[in-house]
Amino acid sequence: MKALKCFLQTREDWGLLVLRLGVATAIFPHGAQKALGWWGGNGFAKTLEGFSANMGIPPFIGALAVAAEFLAPMGLVLGLLTRLSALGIAITMCVAVSVHASNGFFAGNGGFEYPLTIAFAAIALVLSGGGKWAADNLLARKL
């Protein structure tokens, strides 16, 4: 129980709230493209097909990546399971860095600049928690 409380507890920090909402805002549209086909995306089935055919990513792993990009931002907005949500995003973005590495650094050339930035922001949330107005703090207090 103590470990769960430590996992949930965070400082009432405004900067972490801003970081949490910023990461969620940056990632959610990408997840909605993959999961629902919004904003010109392929939707879930075609995304998994593309992951498999173009990158050799098994469907189960692809589904986890889509879940991380679609569901985790919702958790971040609420500050609910912030560290777990951010971890999913960080792992997905580290894979994206490796996929885009051959294009160089700059995002304008298809490089890894964007996923690297999001990965570092997500790792900061894994280490620090969700900050101000995080539902995690309410849960931690109840334990």
Side-chain angles (χ1 to χ4, degrees):
M1 199 61 97
K2 185 177 179 181
L4 180 59
K5 187 174 182 175
C6 287
F7 176 75
L8 294 170
Q9 205 164 24
T10 183
R11 297 185 322 269
E12 291 288 328
D13 185 296
W14 286 101
L16 293 173
L17 169 65
V18 170
L19 183 61
R20 194 177 87 219
L21 296 177
V23 170
T25 301
I27 289 297
F28 180 78
H30 294 277
Q33 284 181 314
K34 291 174 180 78
L36 304 175
W38 292 1
W39 295 297
N42 291 326
F44 190 71
K46 287 184 181 176
T47 295
L48 293 186
E49 279 178 34
F51 281 172
S52 181
N54 301 327
M55 294 177 261
I57 297 173
F60 176 73
I61 302 298
L64 287 176
V66 172
E69 288 189 36
F70 183 65
L71 299 175
M74 293 181 217
L76 292 183
V77 167
L78 298 172
L80 181 62
L81 301 177
T82 301
R83 286 183 167 94
L84 180 62
S85 297
L87 180 62
I89 291 169
I91 291 168
T92 302
M93 291 298 103
C94 286
V95 171
V97 165
S98 71
V99 168
H100 292 275
S102 63
N103 297 324
F105 179 76
F106 294 103
N109 297 326
F112 62 90
E113 175 183 18
Y114 172 79
L116 181 69
T117 302
I118 298 299
F120 277 117
I123 291 167
L125 290 170
V126 170
L127 296 173
S128 301
K132 194 89 170 157
W133 297 339
D136 290 341
N137 269 336
L138 296 175
L139 294 175
R141 282 186 211 124
K142 298 229 182 241
L143 293 177

